[in-house]
């Protein structure tokens, strides 16, 4: 039985999830209903189906090491790896790979944690560290990490930044990714590009030679010459998600001020919002595109109808298994899909991407009702091996989290993972800040209004500045 009393913090978190658009009535475009957005951006359409009732799974054997991991049908190793590792250590294990959409998955955890029924290990996005750490639902891991350096010295150093909050480390990276600009190589050839021009596009974006302005011009030319249909030159993510911040970064924006406070850069944001409006006005992105059903998005880009589109590296495994298997899966995709960083908005500046590491967190006694945090961490440690992480990375097209994965034969033979590994050198993370959900909701509403022509970019920026000041006060820096 769950407590009748729901704490104020829990209620605030649930309201935040609702505000983030992670559940509720789906948006539509052209009368077609679209599923709710996944807060973490990595869910496939199959994973984003939301039940009408959110009920956490009941705990079985309380002596078992229990883990919950959100996963679609190519990501189940997130839970299975903990199960295998725990059993190798002689522990009982209860592993749940939960296909529920991210919003409802997180609600389940919050309800369970508030009633002392949470699992011993919870997998989620790194941005949950701040609110869950502040609520006392997870524990800091520094001492345990330091005592197991033989394993954790192999974590790719950049990834540790994503688990830091209040000067401590609160999670162990489970996977990570990059969010490429996908492009259709055949359409570029149809447009008259030489093979050398097509092959060099990733390097030209990396160096800042090919910018967002160039991408728009190329896509517009493709529409004008009939290489792609109107509105099929560039497709961004169709639903709410962190991917959009890549364009804020591309124009020099940042999400924190370096001292832990959130930051809103008005000049960078106005350029970003103008970009979102311009892709519609130039005829390369459909009008009222935000809210398009994810299934339509995936089917259209994998059928080769769009020139440029942005998504995540994990899309590749999803597309191969769930959208193009009858056409040849990966080999079919390799035949026309290329990938590069997101272009910079400024000539001469390198391209950018965004990573969203999912991390294992160990829950507190307050959240789980158990005192087996040490054994839970042992299971996480035992699951952090090249073999088990490769099982997930290769099966779901996620990048390595261990340096020792990079040189394994199977990983080296995977073209998509090898070809996108360099992007981690150019990546950014969302801030681990308990108020980021509020920030994100305000910014997304304004950006959507600018793209849809309901506000000018300048008006949208002004609205964001006013609302952030009202909602967050001195917790946000506006410049």
């Amino acid at each position: 039985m769950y407590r009748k009393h729901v704490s104020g913090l829990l209620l605030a978190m649930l309201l935040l999830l609702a505000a983030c658009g992670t559940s509720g009535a789906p948006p539509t475009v052209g009368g077609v209903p679209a599923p709710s957005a996944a807060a973490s951006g990595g869910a496939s359409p199959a994973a984003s189906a939301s039940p009408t009732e959110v009920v956490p799974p009941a705990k079985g054997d309380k002596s078992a090491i229990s883990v919950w991991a959100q996963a679609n049908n190519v990501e189940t190793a997130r839970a299975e790896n903990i199960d295998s590792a725990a059993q190798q250590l002689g522990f009982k294990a209860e592993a749940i790979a939960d296909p529920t959409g991210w919003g409802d998955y997180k609600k389940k955890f919050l309800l369970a944690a508030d009633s002392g029924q949470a699992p011993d290990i919870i997998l989620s996005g790194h941005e949950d560290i701040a609110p869950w750490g502040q609520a006392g639902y997870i524990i800091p891991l520094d001492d345990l990490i330091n005592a197991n350096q033989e394993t954790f010295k192999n974590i790719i150093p950049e990834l540790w930044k994503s688990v830091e909050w209040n000067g401590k480390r609160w999670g162990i990276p489970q996977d990570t990714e990059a969010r490429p600009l996908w492009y259709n190589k055949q359409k570029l050839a149809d447009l008259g590009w030489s093979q050398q021009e097509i092959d060099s596009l990733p390097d030209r974006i990396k160096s800042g030679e090919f910018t967002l302005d160039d991408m728009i011009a190329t896509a517009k030319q493709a529409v004008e010459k009939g290489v792609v249909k109107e509105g099929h030159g560039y497709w961004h993510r169709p639903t709410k998600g962190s991917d959009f911040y890549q364009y804020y970064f591309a124009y020099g924006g940042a999400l924190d001020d370096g001292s832990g406070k959130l930051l809103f850069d008005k000049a960078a944001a106005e350029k970003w919002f103008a970009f979102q409006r311009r892709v519609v006005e130039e005829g390369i992105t459909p009008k009222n595109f935000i809210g398009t059903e994810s299934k339509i998005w995936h089917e259209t880009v994998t059928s080769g109808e769009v020139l440029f589109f942005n998504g995540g590296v994990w899309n590749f495994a999803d597309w191969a298994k769930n959208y193009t298997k009858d056409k040849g899966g990966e080999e079919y995709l390799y035949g026309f899909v290329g990938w590069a960083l997101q272009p910079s908005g400024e000539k001469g500046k390198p391209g950018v991407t965004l990573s969203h590491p999912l991390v294992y967190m160990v829950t507190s006694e307050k959240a789980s009702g158990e005192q087996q945090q040490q054994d839970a961490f042992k299971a996480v440690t035992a699951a952090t091996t090249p073999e088990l992480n490769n099982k997930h990375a290769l099966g779901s097209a996620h990048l390595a989290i261990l340096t020792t994965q990079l040189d394994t034969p199977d990983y080296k033979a995977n073209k998509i993972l090898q070809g996108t590994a360099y992007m981690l050198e150019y990546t950014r993370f969302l801030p681990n800040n308990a108020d980021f959900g509020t920030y994100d909701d305000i910014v997304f509403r304004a950006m959507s209004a600018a793209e849809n022509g309901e506000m000018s970019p300048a008006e949208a920026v002004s609205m964001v500045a006013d609302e952030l000041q009202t909602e967050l006060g001195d917790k946000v820096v506006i410049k």
Side-chain angles (χ1 to χ4, degrees):
M1 292 292 290
Y2 298 112
R3 296 176 190 170
K4 292 182 179 179
H5 169 70
V6 179
S7 70
L9 180 58
L10 172 63
L11 182 59
M13 288 178 175
L14 295 176
L15 289 172
L16 176 60
L17 284 169
C20 286
T22 52
S23 64
T28 62
V29 60
V32 179
S36 59
S40 298
S44 72
S48 58
S50 298
T52 55
E53 185 179 10
V54 177
V55 181
K59 271 195 169 183
D61 185 345
K62 292 189 175 181
S63 67
I65 299 299
S66 54
V67 57
W68 293 357
Q70 198 278 352
N72 65 23
N73 63 354
V74 297
E75 297 167 337
T76 55
R78 287 173 176 156
E80 295 167 353
N81 285 352
I82 293 291
D83 184 90
S84 298
Q87 293 193 38
Q88 287 172 12
L89 294 169
F91 300 148
K92 297 176 184 175
E94 289 186 354
I96 296 177
D98 189 342
T100 306
W102 277 103
D104 287 343
Y105 170 78
K106 294 184 184 187
K107 287 178 186 174
K108 288 180 187 178
F109 174 72
L110 292 173
L111 289 168
D114 188 62
S115 61
Q117 295 291 315
D120 300 298
I121 301 164
I122 181 71
L123 176 129
S124 195
H126 72 94
E127 76 279 8
D128 291 316
I129 284 175
W132 294 357
Q134 187 167 291
Y137 293 156
I138 58 173
I139 63 171
L141 302 174
D142 292 88
D143 290 345
L144 295 169
I145 292 170
N146 291 336
N148 290 275
Q149 275 303 301
E150 194 58 33
T151 295
F152 295 115
K153 70 180 181 183
N154 297 319
I155 295 283
I156 292 173
E158 188 73 18
L159 297 178
W160 284 122
K161 297 177 184 175
S162 70
V163 300
E164 294 175 355
W165 175 66
N166 269 3
K168 297 179 179 178
R169 288 177 285 184
W170 298 73
I172 300 300
Q174 185 274 325
D175 77 14
T176 192
E177 21 66 8
R179 296 171 190 237
L181 175 73
W182 303 107
Y183 56 92
N184 188 319
K185 295 183 289 187
Q186 184 56 53
K187 295 297 184 187
L188 289 176
D190 293 346
L191 193 56
W193 282 34
S194 69
Q195 193 61 50
Q196 190 278 330
E197 288 174 314
I198 296 170
D199 292 343
S200 67
L201 182 58
D203 284 339
R204 288 188 284 136
I205 290 177
K206 187 167 64 175
S207 69
E209 177 186 336
F210 188 94
T211 66
L212 288 174
D213 285 343
D214 297 313
M215 185 192 76
I216 290 173
T218 303
K220 187 176 180 182
Q221 186 182 34
V223 171
E224 291 171 347
K225 291 190 173 183
V227 173
V228 294
K229 293 187 292 188
E230 183 172 357
H232 286 61
Y234 164 72
W235 280 23
H236 56 61
R237 179 190 176 92
T239 55
K240 187 175 187 289
S242 53
D243 305 49
F244 291 106
Y245 287 105
Q246 294 173 114
Y247 303 108
Y248 178 54
F249 301 144
Y251 288 108
L255 292 171
D256 67 69
D257 73 341
S259 72
K261 285 189 176 183
L262 294 169
L263 172 67
F264 183 65
D265 183 327
K266 292 193 291 184
E270 186 168 342
K271 292 176 183 175
W272 166 30
F273 291 175
F275 165 78
Q276 300 291 157
R277 181 60 194 156
R278 187 177 165 202
V279 297
V280 176
E281 291 181 334
E282 297 281 11
I284 63 174
T285 302
K287 295 177 181 176
N288 301 314
F289 185 64
I290 295 173
T292 295
E293 185 179 355
S294 293
K295 185 172 184 289
I296 293 172
W297 189 93
H298 288 289
E299 289 176 345
T300 306
V301 300
T302 57
S303 67
E305 296 180 37
V306 182
L307 178 55
F308 296 112
F309 42 108
N310 82 266
V313 66
W314 68 87
N315 288 145
F316 209 81
D318 186 29
W319 292 338
K321 181 169 183 175
N322 296 316
Y323 292 92
T324 65
K325 189 174 181 178
D326 60 338
K327 298 177 181 176
E330 286 192 356
E331 288 310 309
Y332 162 78
L333 293 169
Y334 282 130
F336 74 92
V337 176
W339 53 85
L341 292 165
Q342 303 295 330
S344 172
E346 302 172 6
K347 204 79 171 178
K349 298 286 183 64
V352 68
T353 189
L354 180 129
S355 297
H356 178 253
L358 298 187
V359 302
Y360 291 124
M361 291 168 270
V362 176
T363 58
S364 64
E365 182 179 356
K366 171 185 175 181
S368 68
E370 311 290 346
Q371 295 182 331
Q372 49 196 17
Q373 285 75 22
Q374 295 275 343
D375 287 347
F377 188 80
K378 288 178 183 176
V380 173
T381 303
T384 307
T385 68
E387 294 76 19
L388 291 179
N389 281 101
N390 268 352
K391 180 182 174 185
H392 171 69
L394 297 170
S396 64
H398 281 84
L399 298 179
I401 56 101
L402 294 167
T403 57
T404 44
Q405 287 177 255
L406 300 176
D407 291 328
T408 57
D410 286 347
Y411 194 91
K412 290 178 72 171
N414 188 296
K415 287 192 284 187
I416 188 65
L417 298 184
Q418 280 293 309
T420 55
Y422 77 96
M423 294 183 183
L424 291 184
E425 298 176 28
Y426 300 86
T427 198
R428 308 284 186 89
F429 301 119
L430 298 178
N432 286 339
N433 188 300
D435 295 306
F436 180 69
T438 300
Y439 178 107
D440 183 42
D441 183 49
I442 293 170
V443 170
F444 180 72
R445 281 192 288 107
M447 186 215 75
S448 300
E451 173 162 324
N452 292 336
E454 297 159 6
M455 288 183 172
S456 71
E459 290 170 340
V461 166
S462 179
M463 185 195 85
V464 172
D466 289 346
E467 291 198 18
L468 286 178
Q469 200 72 74
T470 300
E471 294 291 334
L472 300 179
D474 62 3
K475 295 179 180 178
V476 61
V477 174
I478 297 172
K479 74 170 188 176

